[in-house]
Amino acid sequence: MANESNLYLRKVIHPQAKDNYRVVLKQDGTEVEIGSIGTTFHRTTMPTWRWGIDTVIPMRELESEGSGLDLKDCMKKFKAAWLRFCEDPARLDEFLAAKRPRHR
C-alpha cells in the first residue's frame, strides 16, 4: 500500500517553472509521478502555491487539488489527500495502472 513516506519531490527544470515540483511515489522499486506542487501567478504579482493529484481516473468524491501557504503547507495537504485516496486499494491500483508506462 502506498503511504506518505513513499512520496518525494522532483524539481521541474524549465525556464518558466521557478518553484514547481512533481510529486513522485516510490513503490516496489519503481517511481511514478502522481501529482504536482508549484506556484502560479493569477492576476497578481505574488505567487500562489497550488497542489494537485493527477486526475487520471475520476476523483469526484475526493479533494484532488487545492492551495497552500507555501511548499511545506502544500506538501502536507497533498499527503493528507493522497492518504485518503489510498484508502481504497482498488482505486489506487487503477490509478497506478493508468500512470505506469505501457511496455511494448
Side-chain angles (χ1 to χ4, degrees), residues 9 18 65 83:
L9 298 175
K18 183 178 178 193
E65 64 182 11
L83 289 176

Side-chain angles (χ1 to χ4, degrees), residues 1-10 21-28 30-37 51-54 72 74-86 92 95-96:
M1 176 165 173
N3 66 46
E4 68 180 284
S5 65
N6 302 64
L7 302 179
Y8 71 92
L9 298 175
R10 179 178 291 144
Y21 303 85
R22 291 295 293 158
V23 182
V24 179
L25 171 68
K26 187 170 186 173
Q27 183 180 40
D28 301 327
T30 62
E31 296 179 348
V32 180
E33 291 186 358
I34 61 168
S36 60
I37 296 175
W51 64 271
I53 297 172
D54 293 346
K72 184 177 179 180
C74 282
M75 191 63 184
K76 179 181 171 183
K77 291 177 178 181
F78 187 101
K79 285 179 179 181
W82 179 249
L83 289 176
R84 282 189 303 276
F85 180 78
C86 293
L92 177 61
F95 178 90
L96 293 175

